[in-house]
Amino acid sequence: MRKLFTLFTFVLAMLAQSSWAEDATWKFVWDTSRSSGGEGFYNISDHSLTTQVETLNGLQWTLESDSHATGYTATSGQYFGSTTYPISQGTLSTSYLKGKIKKVSLEMKKKTDGQVVNIGVSVGGTNYGEVSLTTEKAVYEYTPEADAAEGDIVISMAQPAEEKSIIYFFSMEIVYEGEGVVQPVIEKVSPQLSFAETAIEMYADDMTYNPITNPFNVSPIKYSSADNSIVVASSNNGTIYSMKPGTTTITATFEGNDQYLPETASYTVTVVEKPVIAAPEFDVKGGTFTAPVTVTITSEDPLCKAIWYSTTITNVDDLGWDEQTIIVPGTKAEVTLTESCTLLAVAVGDNNVGLPTMYEFVINIAQEPVANIGLPDEAYYSPTAFAFVPLNIPVTFRDASTGEPNFWSWEFEGTDIATSAEQNPTVVYSEQGTYEVRLGVSNSMGKSSCGVSGVRAGGSELIWNIAPTETADLAEVALGWYGSYAGTNWLGMGAFAERFNKPSATAKVDKVTAYFASTVSDADADISVSLCKADENGMPGEILATTSLKVSELSNAGDKVAEFSFDEAVEVVSDFFIVVSGFPEGYSDDVSLLCLRRGEGGNNTAYQYLLDEDENYNYLDTGKWYANSDDPLSIALSAHLIYDEEVSGISNVATVANEEIYTLDGMRVDAIGKSGVYIIRNGEKVRKIYVK
């Protein structure tokens, strides 16, 4: 019985040993690129990288060679070296497969014939063999001559000849007995955090930053203050804000990670009261001047490091934040004032803005005037005349002169008055024609005169929103790669519009003249022009008339001026728009209208219809009109306006109690009499009328 028991125990022991000693296999195949989620060695551009560490199927491998070039191709797997940077000597090794290595199988080849490529394998210093590769892909098996060894697995690559080849690996397989794959044990080290200063001093109600030294760029680092009533620290970036005098400690804390130990660094902050820097002195303390005045600003405070001043800022808290603040290092600054302003200045030290000094300066510099005639509100500019005005309607000419004249002398042709000394006189034209207007202005510094000979009264005329002095600046408004404004574009602007004010008398429009910058197109598209009323939001609304021309007809329009005629004249009784649409959008298309850009603050009369987009950014048929207020301009579009003189003017005017009636020369009368212009005042309300 004892023998049977002993035999049974031996068999169990052998079975257990056999179960523990089963062979295991680790395998990796290069069949997927890194960009598609595969594993492998990949480096092309970094020439200094001759040691690369990668994990393949859970097992960490280290490549060391005299070439940086590694990568993957779908047909040849993992490659080591390149034609320009081949491998002469290299190893691919791992220390993290524990157990007895019984066999190593490598599927490999070389790129071209004529080179010697030797690939060897050793385990724990025991040689498992060496082979020379061919250009045919093959599996090579490496085994020990005696017992299986344990230790580092090293695959050596050697090309002893002068000519060298690219080496391709397709797969690796290792048969072993033992524990198997283990993960590298990383010994954590100190991140070596420290601050540039171990103790700093700052003023109350201030902010600063003490840089931290972080040689290994560990993160996140959190900052804290031991006493937030003295100093508050931004937890993310370490900026500190002082609250009141006192001393506290600022601490930076790193909680550690897989590579670095937890660590803290700290410094002390002492907050002291901020000394008050005295207000600077002005040698000229404001006033009224008839010539430019130079002001010297000085500070005698020993804390002063610079003078800050501004002629546009009136709140000292706003100084120093933008280009409106002039900063002059030192304790003295000079500024020459040529315009009326408020001059504000402070003396500034280290993180310390002093008390302000501020004075008002009124600069009245007399200068010779320059005469200029402004467009009446009742008139339109015209491509062929200075202005187009209606008959029998009061028209007020505006003085647009510079230099502050105080005397005006107007001369008119074809109006109810021949001369006027008013700054902005009102006149009435009663007969069709083209007339001259002259203006003379003067002041104590001199005089100036000017005239225009193209005031077109009554009848019909082309009108637009561009002054005669602006026509030389008409040009295409290019939008870079995206085409042109008021033309072919790829920004979803489906139509463009030019706005016109309501005519001051009954009028009609029968055609539109368009001035093109370019008419280049492979497509013979229809360019549509419509006359639209302004809607309740001041945008293009109801279409009153529409017409179109082919692009080929625009190209044949002489100097790119095209006339679009409506079927019949359409009455306009409110603000109205000329709308242009249908610009072709092909790759080689370039059809665009001339425009006048005025820049920031200028008058804008242009609008664009911006198409809506779906969730994939495709343009829809719907959209919305927008004024082009970000880039004020006018589009070179002219409406042919026809005044209906038969209904201009009034023949009977009823007045009410408390109204005062004056003639145009200022004489008060009891009642409206013969034809002419009258001014009716009722309290603060004033109106002008013309009686036929």
Side-chain angles (χ1 to χ4, degrees):
M1 180 65 68
R2 179 178 295 180
K3 289 183 179 181
L4 288 174
F5 178 78
T6 303
L7 178 61
F8 179 71
T9 303
F10 176 76
V11 171
L12 287 178
M14 291 302 293
L15 287 173
Q17 183 176 357
S18 174
S19 175
W20 179 85
E22 283 186 1
D23 290 346
T25 302
W26 173 90
K27 185 174 183 179
F28 180 76
V29 179
W30 278 279
D31 57 3
T32 307
S33 67
R34 285 277 291 270
S35 61
S36 299
E39 297 174 331
F41 295 88
Y42 184 86
N43 178 66
I44 296 176
S45 57
D46 188 352
H47 290 217
S48 64
L49 190 64
T50 55
T51 298
Q52 302 176 46
V53 179
E54 296 291 345
T55 298
L56 309 177
N57 191 19
L59 180 60
Q60 180 175 297
W61 290 84
T62 299
L63 172 67
E64 295 180 289
S65 72
D66 51 9
S67 171
H68 68 280
T70 57
Y72 169 85
T73 66
T75 57
S76 301
Q78 171 76 59
Y79 65 81
F80 296 104
S82 65
T83 302
T84 307
Y85 302 100
I87 287 181
S88 296
Q89 296 286 336
T91 59
L92 183 61
S93 62
T94 181
S95 303
Y96 304 107
L97 186 59
K98 302 300 183 182
K100 295 181 179 180
I101 308 304
K102 295 187 174 182
K103 181 173 66 176
V104 177
S105 300
L106 303 177
E107 188 176 15
M108 305 172 289
K109 75 171 186 177
K110 64 181 180 178
K111 182 177 182 180
T112 54
D113 282 325
Q115 299 88 19
V116 177
V117 180
N118 297 325
I119 307 296
V121 173
S122 65
V123 178
T126 299
N127 183 23
Y128 274 47
E130 183 179 79
V131 300
S132 292
L133 300 186
T134 69
T135 56
E136 297 295 326
K137 180 170 69 172
V139 176
Y140 300 90
E141 295 185 351
Y142 298 83
T143 56
E145 293 183 357
D147 294 337
E150 298 183 66
D152 293 351
I153 303 171
V154 180
I155 302 171
S156 62
M157 295 175 275
Q159 299 195 68
E162 183 175 348
E163 292 189 11
K164 296 174 175 57
S165 173
I166 300 174
I167 304 170
Y168 296 108
F169 275 43
F170 298 90
S171 67
M172 295 192 301
E173 182 177 292
I174 302 174
V175 178
Y176 64 93
E177 174 190 314
E179 183 179 353
V181 176
V182 297
Q183 297 304 314
V185 177
I186 300 175
E187 184 177 348
K188 295 183 180 182
V189 297
S190 166
Q192 300 179 22
L193 300 179
S194 64
F195 282 102
E197 303 288 340
T198 58
I200 65 171
E201 184 176 279
M202 63 186 301
Y203 292 137
D205 191 26
D206 202 356
M207 62 177 287
T208 190
Y209 176 73
N210 186 12
I212 191 169
T213 300
N214 182 7
F216 301 108
N217 294 318
V218 297
S219 66
I221 297 175
K222 297 296 183 181
Y223 300 83
S224 62
S225 170
D227 190 338
N228 286 328
S229 69
I230 298 174
V231 172
V232 175
S234 171
S235 63
N236 293 325
N237 61 33
T239 302
I240 59 173
Y241 306 85
S242 56
M243 310 301 291
K244 68 178 183 180
T247 300
T248 187
T249 300
I250 304 298
T251 301
T253 301
F254 171 64
E255 295 184 351
N257 58 23
D258 293 340
Q259 291 180 277
Y260 298 98
L261 297 167
E263 191 164 289
T264 62
S266 62
Y267 67 96
T268 59
V269 181
T270 300
V271 180
V272 299
E273 287 285 4
K274 183 182 294 184
V276 178
I277 299 178
E281 291 289 334
F282 288 17
D283 66 335
V284 181
K285 295 175 173 54
T288 301
F289 305 87
T290 58
V293 59
T294 298
V295 181
T296 301
I297 308 167
T298 56
S299 173
E300 296 182 357
D301 196 302
L303 296 176
C304 176
K305 297 292 182 67
I307 300 292
W308 292 4
Y309 73 85
S310 176
T311 59
T312 57
I313 298 173
T314 57
N315 185 347
V316 66
D317 293 333
D318 295 332
L319 279 174
W321 295 103
D322 56 32
E323 66 277 1
Q324 297 181 60
T325 300
I326 308 301
I327 299 176
V328 180
T331 59
K332 179 180 178 180
E334 285 189 351
V335 53
T336 298
L337 306 177
T338 58
E339 297 179 350
S340 299
C341 67
T342 299
L343 181 59
L344 171 65
V346 293
V348 179
D350 293 329
N351 296 322
N352 191 357
V353 178
L355 298 175
T357 301
M358 184 166 61
Y359 287 102
E360 297 287 337
F361 290 83
V362 178
I363 313 294
N364 292 323
I365 303 174
Q367 53 183 306
E368 186 174 341
V370 177
N372 189 24
I373 299 172
L375 182 74
D377 291 338
E378 302 82 4
Y380 296 100
Y381 285 124
S382 170
T384 59
F386 169 73
F388 180 46
V389 300
L391 298 181
N392 304 322
I393 293 293
V395 175
T396 301
F397 279 87
R398 294 185 298 105
D399 169 39
S401 306
T402 59
E404 298 185 358
N406 52 24
F407 177 81
W408 299 267
S409 176
W410 292 87
E411 297 178 9
F412 298 99
E413 289 181 347
T415 60
D416 56 337
I417 60 172
T419 61
S420 175
E422 293 184 26
Q423 182 178 8
N424 302 302
T426 299
V427 299
V428 175
Y429 291 89
S430 57
E431 294 184 7
Q432 287 188 25
T434 302
Y435 302 102
E436 183 178 359
V437 177
R438 295 197 61 79
L439 171 62
V441 296
S442 63
N443 61 19
S444 61
M445 299 299 293
K447 59 185 179 179
S448 174
S449 63
C450 68
V452 293
S453 57
V455 177
R456 194 74 52 82
S460 64
E461 186 56 76
L462 290 172
I463 63 169
W464 65 358
N465 295 308
I466 300 168
T469 54
E470 296 177 319
T471 56
D473 296 323
L474 284 168
E476 178 183 10
V477 177
L479 302 175
W481 295 101
Y482 303 103
S484 302
Y485 187 84
T488 297
N489 73 90
W490 297 276
L491 291 174
M493 291 184 285
F496 301 87
E498 180 72 357
R499 180 175 182 141
F500 293 84
N501 292 331
K502 172 185 175 182
S504 52
T506 304
K508 296 180 179 180
V509 173
D510 64 347
K511 57 187 175 182
V512 169
T513 300
Y515 303 81
F516 286 87
S518 176
T519 55
V520 177
S521 177
D522 292 334
D524 201 16
D526 288 319
I527 302 297
S528 297
V529 170
S530 301
L531 184 69
C532 299
K533 292 172 59 176
D535 65 14
E536 64 276 7
N537 298 315
M539 298 293 173
E542 178 187 349
I543 297 176
L544 303 175
T546 187
T547 186
S548 65
L549 290 175
K550 296 286 188 182
V551 172
S552 58
E553 296 176 278
L554 306 180
S555 302
N556 296 326
D559 55 355
K560 299 189 181 69
V561 179
E563 187 175 280
F564 294 79
S565 297
F566 301 123
D567 291 339
E568 59 182 3
V570 180
E571 187 175 48
V572 286
V573 295
S574 63
D575 290 359
F576 63 94
F577 289 86
I578 297 173
V579 177
V580 185
S581 61
F583 293 100
E585 298 178 356
Y587 179 77
S588 60
D589 293 329
D590 182 13
V591 179
S592 62
L593 290 159
L594 291 168
C595 296
L596 174 76
R597 274 178 134 156
R598 294 191 174 92
E600 184 177 357
N603 180 42
N604 176 69
T605 56
Y607 294 70
Q608 62 268 359
Y609 187 71
L610 192 60
L611 298 173
D612 296 327
E613 297 177 348
D614 62 18
E615 63 275 9
N616 297 317
Y617 305 103
N618 297 312
Y619 293 121
L620 304 175
D621 294 333
T622 59
K624 184 178 180 181
W625 282 103
Y626 295 90
N628 195 49
S629 52
D630 291 340
D631 184 10
L633 56 80
S634 291
I635 305 173
L637 292 168
S638 296
H640 186 248
L641 192 74
I642 307 167
Y643 279 124
D644 183 359
E645 268 77 25
E646 295 301 322
V647 296
S648 296
I650 57 176
S651 57
N652 294 291
V653 178
T655 60
V656 297
N658 301 322
E659 286 189 333
E660 300 173 351
I661 305 172
Y662 296 86
T663 62
L664 195 57
D665 57 6
M667 181 179 296
R668 183 173 179 179
V669 295
D670 294 330
I672 295 173
K674 61 181 182 179
S675 63
V677 179
Y678 293 86
I679 299 172
I680 300 177
R681 182 185 300 275
N682 187 347
E684 295 182 354
K685 296 182 179 180
V686 178
R687 59 193 176 104
K688 292 179 182 179
I689 64 170
Y690 171 70
V691 180
K692 294 197 297 183

